[in-house]
Amino acid sequence: MQVPQTPTLLDYVGSGPPTYEAEPTALPPADPNDLDDLVADTVLDGASYGMCTLRAASVRGDSARYRGEPRRDSLLTARFGVGDSALLLVAMATGARATPGAHRAAAEACQWIGRAVGRSHARLAEDIRAARRGDLKSGLHRLTDRSLGKLRASAAEQGIEPEEYSASLRCLLLPADPECRTRVFFGVGAGGLFRLRDGEWQDIEPQVGDTTGEPVVGFGSLPHETPDGDRLTMDLGITTPPSPYEPAPEPSPRDPFRFRASVARPGDTLLLCSGGLAEPLRGEPRLAEHLTARWSDGDPPGLAAFLADTQVRVKGYADDRTAAAVWEA
């Protein structure tokens, strides 16, 4: 019996090699009194829980490597809770282009949303399992607004415009419960959400106003308040102001909030990525074809192989790349 060959790794696809070198050239400048501000060129992580296997990577773009600029993308992977009730969070953020504190803003955005989700993970996991889509959407929207609002507050403290200290923020919530295949995406800003199913890529980035992809059994907005008086926003620690004398919520981010909750099938691969990978995936068919060939055999790649796959370069696309892929058993 002839065993199919996995396609070999490539350095680039497209009409020709990219302008920049394939490997890092220059390091960002360092302040000896603030070494905590340094950002590694590459971050790599992974895990397996329930019926899914996670791979995640964040890589400095070719342009930043050549110019000695820090990676503007930030990546956070975290598990909150234990056993089948645990909840996995993948958060990625991209700082504003051509701003000196872009990498710090991205890191803070991931940290704020991580803290908010971590403090509420038990209720979030319960709502995912119970298919409370309406509650999830409204609660996660408020968490996202508040997290990005803290960046605006930080910009004010630094005496700079909010646009100079801002970031996109895109997240996945993955229940560890093997009986729950619901995958929840939420966030604000540029990037991509794709699904590889039956050998074909589907661009499932939710449009403004969309709430879910294909129907999810049991999903639908439940009453805003349960018979016991429980409300998701209260469990998340973000209460609606009871009177006009209380502080008002932070204003919504300028970019629209996006949310999608859908049920995965065995054999699916879900890919969440920053704009640095989403743009070449949409713009260069050969990159999508290569990843299809690499990821369609059903077995998740190892960490090193996943990193190599996400680094396949395309001429004209030199931004940082951050990606998280979930393989379904």
Side-chain angles (χ1 to χ4, degrees):
M1 181 177 69
Q2 187 176 7
V3 179
Q5 295 293 318
T6 301
T8 57
L9 298 174
L10 296 178
D11 174 53
Y12 67 89
V13 295
S15 60
T19 303
Y20 300 105
E21 296 291 333
E23 299 298 333
T25 303
L27 289 171
D31 181 348
N33 297 314
D34 193 12
L35 295 180
D36 289 342
D37 193 48
L38 294 178
V39 181
D41 176 271
T42 301
V43 173
L44 187 61
D45 208 350
S48 292
Y49 285 93
M51 303 303 293
C52 68
T53 297
L54 170 68
R55 298 287 182 259
S58 185
V59 183
R60 192 163 51 134
D62 289 349
S63 176
R65 284 175 163 182
Y66 176 77
R67 302 177 189 278
E69 298 171 349
R71 175 166 49 89
R72 291 187 297 120
D73 278 9
S74 185
L75 172 67
L76 172 70
T77 53
R79 171 179 61 88
F80 302 108
V82 297
D84 291 350
S85 63
L87 184 66
L88 310 184
L89 167 69
V90 180
M92 58 185 68
T94 301
R97 190 184 299 275
T99 57
H103 61 293
R104 290 189 291 271
E108 284 194 14
C110 287
Q111 291 166 7
W112 284 118
I113 198 66
R115 290 170 184 166
V117 168
R119 290 167 180 157
S120 310
H121 73 273
R123 180 60 188 265
L124 288 169
E126 175 188 334
D127 284 322
I128 292 173
R129 287 193 297 269
R132 300 186 183 113
R133 180 188 58 80
D135 285 346
L136 281 167
K137 183 184 178 185
S138 61
L140 292 171
H141 192 171
R142 291 178 66 83
L143 285 183
T144 302
D145 284 0
R146 286 296 177 89
S147 296
L148 296 182
K150 292 180 183 297
L151 290 185
R152 292 189 287 272
S154 182
E157 292 174 359
Q158 299 175 54
I160 58 179
E161 294 298 321
E163 294 79 10
E164 298 180 52
Y165 201 75
S166 63
S168 65
L169 178 63
R170 305 173 67 79
C171 306
L172 275 179
L173 293 179
L174 309 170
D177 185 350
E179 299 300 320
C180 181
R181 284 191 179 270
T182 303
R183 311 298 179 230
V184 176
F185 158 76
F186 66 97
V188 168
L193 182 67
F194 305 91
R195 180 171 57 208
L196 180 59
R197 174 175 286 177
D198 298 328
E200 294 185 358
W201 281 106
Q202 303 169 352
D203 190 337
I204 59 173
E205 175 78 6
Q207 301 303 310
V208 178
D210 287 353
T211 57
T212 185
E214 62 186 68
V216 177
V217 177
F219 264 178
S221 297
L222 298 182
H224 186 66
E225 186 172 289
T226 70
D228 296 328
D230 292 328
R231 297 175 62 187
L232 179 65
T233 52
M234 296 182 71
D235 285 294
L236 294 177
I238 303 174
T239 57
T240 302
S243 77
Y245 302 102
E246 294 292 330
E250 293 286 347
S252 298
R254 296 189 177 185
D255 290 323
F257 177 76
R258 300 180 190 272
F259 174 91
R260 187 183 185 98
S262 58
V263 171
R265 298 179 187 173
D268 282 357
T269 300
L270 183 67
L271 175 64
L272 175 68
C273 54
S274 64
L277 181 58
E279 291 178 7
L281 261 178
R282 294 184 175 116
E284 176 50 68
R286 289 187 59 189
L287 178 59
E289 292 169 3
H290 176 70
L291 293 182
T292 299
R294 291 280 300 168
W295 294 353
S296 289
D297 63 359
D299 293 326
L303 290 180
F306 178 72
L307 176 61
D309 289 338
T310 56
Q311 285 192 112
V312 175
R313 302 183 303 147
V314 181
K315 188 173 184 178
Y317 300 95
D319 282 343
D320 298 348
R321 290 185 179 183
T322 300
V326 181
W327 277 262
E328 301 288 345

